[in-house]
């Protein structure tokens, strides 16, 4: 359905050019539901706008729904639906009129367009609002109207840019119900971007992660999580010496060397300084840890929490370099394939060695952990300092 | 003809809210009439204009409306650009040029209705139009207006997503274009430098042409220059407009 090769787009801004998308390759087969994930400014929307023929690529090529996006944009447009980030309906127009216009834009006759308008109104539970103007609808209803506009011509491939952003949980669930039903009933191929990691995780069968204009991961959510992040077991001890001993036991079990960090976490008022200290001692990936230390500075309230946060970052980061055991203060973190099975085993080994654990928990990775493992920062941090997408010149 | 069909599609979309809102339509029609009845008497009192002020004044009002109508089309486009409606339609296979022309045509239907009203009501006041000349004059305005509309779309596209540029430039050029064209007051009474500047204003030629045509002077040089100016504006507007649309928004 989608075959993109080396798709690149740069924008001119003051003092040079910004490469928003740097040579991405994407292949999507018919019937797939793909979530396209990345922080603001990563190049999601720009990629989508290229694939939908809205924006010509600076270089590279793509075939979408069997047609070349540069040589035959009309062929692409006739076969795809696109639901943008903003509301697609004009403020001055009645809802049904907009749907009829949309059908006419796709070349339907007036009679056909009217029939289709009524069908999609019905399909998205908007029939009672047909003569109203978009301004009178709720956020969820407006979003359903956007989807209705994208469905008028029965596309086989539908692009959705942040379909559920800004909606309350109930409306989000409702939008997803419609999206999934569309797929179940018509086998529509869906390619969507989302801010909500849990949505990508639970709904999409394939997740593509983009950062700084490049694709950095591609696979099922489960694959990405087990390959790139892994489960963790987190055990707290009453003293640092216990923790060090426990780490060497974990090391024997997993067969790797532990990454031991200094333990200044208790000095919570100097969290920023201690974060620096972490970074220097968090071997072997010092350069990565420099960025990973940032969250420690934000979690300053409770020493244990602080340690866990920084250790979690350090763990995920050092995972890239192969370390599976991380010690910070009195907390040991072990990365394992199956935390549920590994934890009892580990606790038995500790008991046999006479080391007393005072708390133990397991943690399943999220897609955020995957992003962290790949980039050294979390998606939420990246969101905090959004890079505005420059306009085309 | 897909192009004609696409133009009709956009035109129908744009005109529907106007037709569905009779009160708004009433106000739209009132505005030029107020101008006619409040400004006109002043003109006939101030007789620097010999004995036929209406002959001079009515084409002027039509051109003023022809300047503001297409600018409004640009404004509506800007609103849809800032929202998502424009993007939604650009993803459909509809012709880009048809999107421009359909929108301008809608402004023109309103404009032509206003023009008919003004001409009809000014005849009892002493306006003596030539029928063939009026038709030719209105056709000229349509050509000019489509070009202006397309230029205002280019400006709207360049101004998105903020829009400040659009408001700034339209405010800035509207009055010089009007004053330096002789729409409201005759250029001939101004100083030489002003007449020189006016010679570079395409609106000047349109105004002269309209006055000649409405007076029945269909074969005058004024009419020819006006036609050339209108065709030039139209060609430049459509070329730039279609290119701006193709480049991506």
């Amino acid at each position: 359905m989608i075959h993109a090769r080396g798709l690149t787009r740069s924008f001119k801004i003051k003092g040079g050019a910004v490469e928003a998308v740097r040579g991405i390759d994407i292949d999507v087969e018919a019937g797939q539901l793909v979530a396209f994930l990345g922080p603001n400014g990563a190049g999601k929307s720009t990629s989508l706008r290229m694939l939908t023929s809205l924006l010509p690529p600076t270089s590279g090529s793509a075939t979408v729904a069997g047609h070349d996006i540069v040589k035959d944009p009309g062929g692409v447009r006739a076969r795809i639906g696109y639901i943008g980030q903003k509301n697609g309906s004009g403020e001055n127009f009645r809802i049904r009129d907009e749907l009829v216009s949309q059908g006419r834009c796709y070349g339907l006759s007036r009679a056909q367009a009217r029939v289709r308008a009524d069908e999609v109104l019905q399909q998205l539970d908007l029939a009672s609002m047909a003569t109203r103007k978009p301004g009178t609808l709720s956020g969820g209803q407006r979003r359903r109207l956007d989807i209705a506009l994208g469905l008028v011509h029965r596309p086989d491939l539908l692009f959705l840019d942040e379909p559920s952003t800004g909606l309350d949980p109930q409306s989000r669930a409702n939008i997803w119900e419609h999206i999934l039903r569309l797929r179940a009933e018509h086998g529509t191929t869906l390619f969507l971007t989302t801010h909500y990691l849990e949505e990508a995780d639970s709904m999409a069968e394939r997740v593509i992660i983009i950062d700084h204009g490049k694709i950095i991961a591609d696979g099922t959510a489960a694959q990405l999580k087990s390959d790139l992040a892994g489960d963790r077991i987190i055990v707290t001890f009453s003293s640092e010496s216990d923790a060090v001993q426990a780490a060497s036991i974990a090391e024997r079990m997993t067969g790797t060397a532990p990454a031991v960090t200094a333990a200044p976490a208790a000095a919570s008022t100097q969290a920023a300084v201690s974060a620096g200290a972490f970074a220097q001692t968090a071997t072997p990936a010092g350069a990565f840890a420099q960025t990973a230390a940032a969250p420690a500075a934000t979690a300053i309230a409770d020493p244990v929490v602080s340690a866990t946060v920084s250790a979690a970052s350090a763990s995920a980061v050092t995972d890239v370099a192969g370390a599976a055991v991380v010690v910070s203060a009195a907390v040991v973190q072990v990365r394992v394939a199956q935390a549920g099975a590994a934890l009892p085993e580990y606790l038995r080994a500790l008991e046999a060695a006479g080391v007393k654990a005072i708390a133990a928990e397991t943690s399943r990775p999220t897609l955020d952990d995957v992003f962290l493992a790949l980039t050294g920062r979390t998606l939420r941090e990246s969101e905090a300092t959004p890079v505005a997408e420059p306009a085309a010149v | 003809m897909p192009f004609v069909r696409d133009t009709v599609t956009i035109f129908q979309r744009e005109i529907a809210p106007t037709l569905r809102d009779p009160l708004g339509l009433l106000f739209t029609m009132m505005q030029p009439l107020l101008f006619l009845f409040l400004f006109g008497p002043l003109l006939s009192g101030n007789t620097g204009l010999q004995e036929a002020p209406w002959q001079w004044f009515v084409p002027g009002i039509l051109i003023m409306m022809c300047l503001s109508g297409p600018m409004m089309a640009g404004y509506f486009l800007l609103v849809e650009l800032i929202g998502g409606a424009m993007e939604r339609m650009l993803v459909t296979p509809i012709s880009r040029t048809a999107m421009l022309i359909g929108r301008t045509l809608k402004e023109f239907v309103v404009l032509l209705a206003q023009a008919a009203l003004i001409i009809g009501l000014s005849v009892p006041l002493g306006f003596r139009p030539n029928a063939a000349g009026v038709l030719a004059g209105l056709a000229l305005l349509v050509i000019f207006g489509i070009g202006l509309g397309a230029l205002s779309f280019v400006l709207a596209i360049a101004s998105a997503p903020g829009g400040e540029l659009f408001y700034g430039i339209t405010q800035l050029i509207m009055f010089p274009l009007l004053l330096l064209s002789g729409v409201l007051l005759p250029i001939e009474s101004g100083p030489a430098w002003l007449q020189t500047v006016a010679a570079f204003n395409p609106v000047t030629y349109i105004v002269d042409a309209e006055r000649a045509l409405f007076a029945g002077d269909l074969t005058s040089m004024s009419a020819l220059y006006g036609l050339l100016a209108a065709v030039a504006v139209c060609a430049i507007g459509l070329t730039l407009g279609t290119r701006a649309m193709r480049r991506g928004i």
Side-chain angles (χ1 to χ4, degrees):
Chain A
M1 229 11 149
I2 303 173
H3 302 284
R5 288 291 169 272
L7 219 50
T8 301
R9 173 74 200 198
S10 50
F11 293 99
K12 280 182 218 140
I13 56 158
K14 273 183 200 145
V18 171
E19 281 210 309
V21 176
R22 311 164 189 242
I24 58 170
D25 300 336
I26 297 178
D27 289 285
V28 175
E29 299 313 319
Q32 278 192 333
L33 198 173
V34 181
F36 200 41
L37 216 62
N40 281 335
K44 293 185 304 262
S45 289
T46 307
S47 305
L48 225 58
R49 289 162 60 77
M50 285 194 280
L51 291 174
T52 52
S53 85
L54 277 174
L55 199 64
T58 311
S59 67
S61 65
T63 313
V64 174
H67 295 259
D68 191 291
I69 56 164
V70 177
K71 289 181 205 122
D72 184 16
V76 175
R77 289 174 190 142
R79 283 160 188 84
I80 63 163
Y82 170 74
I83 291 144
Q85 245 175 60
K86 296 181 197 160
N87 287 121
S89 46
E91 293 298 336
N92 284 327
F93 306 90
R94 290 187 184 177
I95 288 162
R96 186 168 177 273
D97 289 352
E98 276 292 72
L99 288 164
V100 173
S101 298
Q102 185 76 350
R104 303 265 293 142
C105 286
Y106 280 106
L108 302 184
S109 72
R110 202 161 312 162
Q112 283 171 324
R114 284 188 184 138
V115 171
R116 271 308 284 163
D118 290 334
E119 279 173 10
V120 290
L121 280 171
Q122 206 75 50
Q123 194 181 343
L124 286 140
D125 305 328
L126 291 167
S128 59
M129 335 232 155
T131 57
R132 281 163 59 174
K133 288 186 178 179
T136 66
L137 300 185
S138 73
Q141 288 167 339
R142 277 203 85 147
R143 215 53 190 135
R144 291 214 301 274
L145 173 58
D146 293 337
I147 295 179
L149 284 164
L151 295 181
V152 162
H153 60 301
R154 291 197 181 89
D156 294 328
L157 170 60
L158 196 60
F159 291 92
L160 301 102
D161 201 356
E162 313 253 351
S164 57
T165 298
L167 298 179
D168 59 90
Q170 216 177 339
S171 304
R172 270 170 65 186
N174 178 262
I175 289 286
W176 269 104
E177 224 172 88
H178 286 291
I179 293 176
L180 294 177
R181 201 177 68 195
L182 193 65
R183 184 157 177 256
E185 286 174 10
H186 304 282
T188 313
T189 310
L190 296 164
F191 191 93
L192 57 95
T193 70
T194 175
H195 266 72
Y196 299 111
L197 295 168
E198 58 282 15
E199 276 185 1
D201 200 339
S202 58
M203 307 295 186
E205 58 198 11
R206 181 174 161 201
V207 176
I208 299 176
I209 302 180
I210 183 169
D211 188 39
H212 296 307
K214 282 189 171 147
I215 289 176
I216 55 172
D218 184 351
T220 66
Q223 249 169 24
L224 294 181
K225 285 189 289 188
S226 65
D227 291 0
L228 295 165
D231 287 7
R232 277 195 304 270
I233 57 184
I234 302 146
V235 184
T236 309
F237 300 89
S238 52
S239 72
E240 284 168 36
S241 57
D242 279 4
V244 171
Q245 204 187 336
S248 58
I249 295 168
E251 170 207 345
R252 278 197 295 278
M253 284 174 62
T254 57
T256 55
V260 180
T261 66
S268 54
T269 47
Q270 294 179 351
V273 178
S274 62
F278 271 32
Q280 274 153 27
T281 48
T283 53
F288 284 104
Q290 209 89 46
T291 40
T298 57
I300 53 171
D302 174 50
V304 176
V305 170
S306 161
T308 313
V309 170
S310 52
S313 322
S315 139
V317 168
T318 48
D319 281 348
V320 175
V325 183
V326 177
V327 187
S328 63
V331 179
V332 173
Q333 287 212 25
V334 188
R335 187 192 141 179
V336 292
Q338 297 241 313
L343 182 61
E345 194 189 334
Y346 184 47
L347 290 178
R348 276 196 300 276
L350 289 175
E351 189 137 345
V355 183
K356 193 167 178 244
I358 57 170
E361 58 180 307
T362 62
S363 110
R364 306 269 309 150
T366 63
L367 285 174
D368 211 12
D369 294 322
V370 172
F371 190 77
L372 181 68
L374 288 165
T375 65
R377 56 190 212 284
T378 66
L379 262 172
R380 297 195 203 294
E381 278 165 56
S382 311
E383 299 291 287
T385 51
V387 181
E389 231 160 274
V393 174
Chain B
M1 279 276 284
F3 177 75
V4 175
R5 191 197 62 207
D6 286 353
T7 307
V8 171
T9 298
I10 296 296
F11 173 77
Q12 284 178 335
R13 171 181 189 258
E14 297 296 324
I15 198 106
T18 311
L19 299 179
R20 289 212 154 122
D21 180 14
L23 197 65
L25 199 61
L26 188 71
F27 284 127
T28 311
M29 291 301 160
M30 291 274 287
Q31 184 212 339
L33 292 184
L34 285 176
F35 207 74
L36 192 71
F37 288 113
L38 296 181
F39 198 72
L42 285 175
L43 258 178
S44 33
N46 174 13
T47 44
L49 296 162
Q50 297 95 36
E51 56 280 353
W54 294 109
Q55 224 62 28
W56 190 85
F57 185 58
V58 171
I61 297 186
L62 294 182
I63 286 173
M64 275 185 51
M65 295 190 313
C66 176
L67 281 175
S68 61
M71 297 257 188
M72 282 308 282
Y75 169 75
F76 289 134
L77 181 89
L78 181 64
V79 170
E80 297 217 317
L81 268 174
I82 294 172
M86 195 64 193
E87 187 175 75
R88 164 205 123 208
M89 299 185 86
L90 283 172
V91 186
T92 73
I94 196 156
S95 152
R96 272 56 187 150
T97 316
M99 288 179 82
L100 297 180
I101 294 184
R103 281 172 176 270
T104 324
L105 280 182
K106 175 248 164 178
E107 298 302 326
F108 260 95
V109 167
V110 176
L111 185 82
L112 289 178
Q114 289 173 324
L117 205 59
I118 287 177
I119 293 169
L121 286 172
S122 56
V123 167
L125 296 172
F127 180 46
R128 292 287 167 266
N130 172 290
V134 166
L135 287 178
L138 292 179
L140 187 70
L141 279 187
V142 170
I143 297 172
F144 179 56
I146 285 179
L148 270 188
L151 286 175
S152 104
F153 293 145
V154 173
L155 186 60
I157 291 168
S159 311
E164 293 86 359
L165 187 70
F166 183 83
Y167 307 121
I169 291 189
T170 47
Q171 293 291 321
L172 195 70
I173 64 167
M174 196 57 169
F175 276 103
L177 272 185
L178 273 180
L179 293 174
L180 292 175
S181 67
V183 165
L184 296 173
L185 291 167
I187 290 289
E188 293 75 36
S189 54
W193 66 264
L194 196 134
Q195 298 197 27
T196 314
V197 178
F200 288 100
N201 180 1
V203 186
T204 309
Y205 300 98
I206 311 281
V207 173
D208 288 346
E210 289 298 327
R211 289 194 177 131
L213 289 172
F214 274 53
D217 209 355
L218 286 153
T219 52
S220 69
M221 285 311 275
S222 293
L224 178 66
Y225 287 147
L227 181 66
L228 288 178
V231 169
V233 169
C234 187
I236 293 170
L238 284 183
T239 310
L240 292 180
T242 310
R243 205 177 68 176
M245 291 277 218
R246 286 230 174 92
R247 253 199 204 169
I249 289 172

